[in-house]
Amino acid sequence: MADQYAHSGEDKRPTETPAIRWEEPPEGPVLVLLDQTRLPAEEVELVCTDAPALVEAIRSLAVRGAPLLGIAGAYGVALAAVRGFDVDEAAAALAGARPTAVNLAVGVRRALAAYRAALAEGGDGRRAAEAALAAARALHREDAEASARMAGHGLALLDELLPAGGHRVLTHCNTGALVSGGEGTAFAVALAAHRAGRLRRLWVDETRPLLQGARLTAYEAARSGMAYTLLTDNAAGSLFAAGEVDAVLIGADRIAADGSVANKVGSYPLAVLARYHHVPFIVVAPVTTVDPDTPDGASIEVEQRAGHEVTEITAPQVSVAGAGGGIAVAPLGTQAYNPAFDVTPPELVTAIVTEEGIVSPVTSEALAELCARARR
Ligand SMILES: CSC[C@H]1O[C@H](OP(=O)(O)O)[C@H](O)[C@@H]1O
């Protein structure tokens, strides 16, 4: 296929503004988020001063993506603590803001444990708040380090599995710096391949209904200078049939103990296509996304979102028209099925890449070891 959509440009930071940062202005500590619902049209920041504001930002996907949700959840606990709110109440609201990405509960749990441990050791509220903040900062740092290591492992796997020369990789949803303390998960692998001169093309699924691919991955890919092409989700099959896909790289929101992978809806059909066309289907996720306490895919709670996300087009540039704030593309009153995620069974997963290495094939023994690492 002609490279008519090749894009060349210097390798810039995906956005000038970090996805999340903790600030301590004179009026008191705040959590500053890059509002991802406004991208790619504009970089707008949300300033959260309490947990309810952060819960709303999580629910609206102003802040999103499993690893970043974990970091945000941990900072949210610290924010409640430093501002003297009820920390247990804040932690419960944050952990319950979205059900599928296990990282959110993990991040909240880490900061809450640090807070409670400081109190148990006789520390006062201020000391306990500092402990929660330190736990959030540590998770932020660890995720950035994990992202870099996953990128290295993932590129090595692509080089091992695929013929020499440029790799043509298809990805779904958004898994770059906007979901991470670093450069992301699956997108970080594509970025590493690009920087090594071994990415021939990144195929970007638009990812209906919220268009994380079209709005966010295309934005990050453009700024990186890599060759990328956007496609509708329903066009992926024809790309496989044309032999234009060498590997699929996706992220994850929860990996169950049996290796089932919950990820953005549309991931499971890609796994079936990849298997049918003998293309590696590679999941890239930090160990914090592995959930030893969820036994299998059927046990994963898949978030069901509002129907208007399907029946209306809601993008930063459009004006208000439909009930949900977008332009109605379906008759008003149309009911819609809108699962935010789907679950891919382990037998369709070629490899799971974490910061600790590559699990392939996905055997019960390898999964048991991965789960043990997740429990540490
Ligand atoms: C690697 S985390 C990114 C992950 O999160 C996305 O979901 P959402 O945009 O709803 O937060 C999607 O599942 C991505 O794979």
Side-chain angles (χ1 to χ4, degrees):
M1 179 176 286
D3 285 354
Q4 70 267 34
Y5 301 121
H7 184 97
S8 61
E10 72 273 18
D11 181 356
K12 297 182 197 169
R13 282 178 47 75
T15 66
E16 297 309 324
T17 312
I20 194 169
R21 71 181 194 277
W22 178 272
E23 297 249 307
E24 295 188 348
E27 57 273 19
V30 295
L31 187 60
V32 183
L33 306 170
L34 175 59
D35 184 347
Q36 299 190 28
T37 65
R38 307 288 289 272
L39 289 174
E42 48 189 345
E43 293 190 8
V44 174
E45 290 189 313
L46 284 177
V47 179
C48 296
T49 57
D50 59 28
L54 180 54
V55 167
E56 178 49 36
I58 291 170
R59 285 184 175 148
S60 66
L61 277 72
V63 60
R64 48 158 290 282
L68 192 67
L69 288 177
I71 296 166
Y75 277 128
V77 170
L79 188 63
V82 295
R83 282 189 169 261
F85 294 115
D86 183 316
V87 174
D88 290 314
E89 184 180 292
L94 288 163
R98 291 185 77 193
T100 306
V102 66
N103 307 62
L104 178 55
V106 168
V108 168
R109 194 162 58 230
R110 278 214 201 172
L112 187 59
Y115 175 82
R116 287 173 172 165
L119 291 177
E121 291 160 9
D124 60 9
R126 177 185 176 81
R127 173 70 195 87
E130 288 169 355
L133 181 55
R137 291 191 196 282
L139 181 59
H140 199 159
R141 268 195 315 278
E142 286 166 24
D143 191 68
E145 291 158 8
S147 173
R149 291 166 62 189
M150 285 187 282
H153 293 319
L155 178 55
L157 180 61
L158 288 179
D159 290 342
E160 178 192 332
L161 293 176
L162 304 180
H167 305 321
R168 296 166 301 178
V169 170
L170 183 137
T171 194
H172 191 69
C173 199
N174 172 251
T175 57
L178 293 170
V179 303
S180 164
E183 295 189 312
T185 60
F187 186 82
V189 176
L191 204 50
H194 165 61
R195 290 169 178 161
R198 296 201 290 281
L199 181 73
R200 182 168 149 201
R201 176 163 307 285
L202 182 68
W203 298 110
V204 179
D205 270 3
E206 67 173 354
T207 315
R208 281 269 298 154
L210 295 181
L211 304 176
Q212 289 92 327
R215 294 188 301 110
L216 306 176
T217 301
Y219 181 74
E220 292 187 319
R223 297 181 69 83
S224 77
M226 68 174 62
Y228 72 100
T229 300
L230 181 64
L231 60 140
T232 57
D233 301 324
N234 51 16
S238 59
L239 272 184
F240 283 93
E244 289 286 341
V245 181
D246 298 320
V248 175
L249 282 177
I250 62 160
D253 289 80
R254 190 182 296 246
I255 300 173
D258 73 344
S260 296
V261 177
N263 196 56
K264 183 52 52 193
V265 63
S267 301
Y268 172 56
L270 289 176
V272 175
L273 278 167
R275 177 51 51 89
Y276 182 79
H277 292 279
H278 311 293
V279 168
F281 183 83
I282 300 168
V283 176
V284 186
V287 170
T288 47
T289 304
V290 176
D291 178 11
D293 299 324
T294 294
D296 52 35
S299 309
I300 298 175
E301 182 182 351
V302 173
E303 179 186 6
Q304 298 296 325
R305 292 186 61 86
H308 69 72
E309 294 179 350
V310 177
T311 60
E312 298 172 14
I313 295 289
T314 305
Q317 303 88 330
V318 299
S319 61
V320 171
I327 291 182
V329 292
L332 290 183
T334 297
Q335 297 300 308
Y337 170 61
N338 187 19
F341 303 96
D342 58 24
V343 178
T344 298
E347 59 267 26
L348 295 182
V349 177
T350 307
I352 297 173
V353 176
T354 74
E355 65 274 33
E356 306 211 4
I358 298 164
V359 173
S360 182
V362 181
T363 62
S364 51
E365 296 77 17
L367 285 163
E369 186 185 336
L370 194 55
C371 285
R373 290 173 187 269
R375 288 194 189 281
R376 282 184 200 142

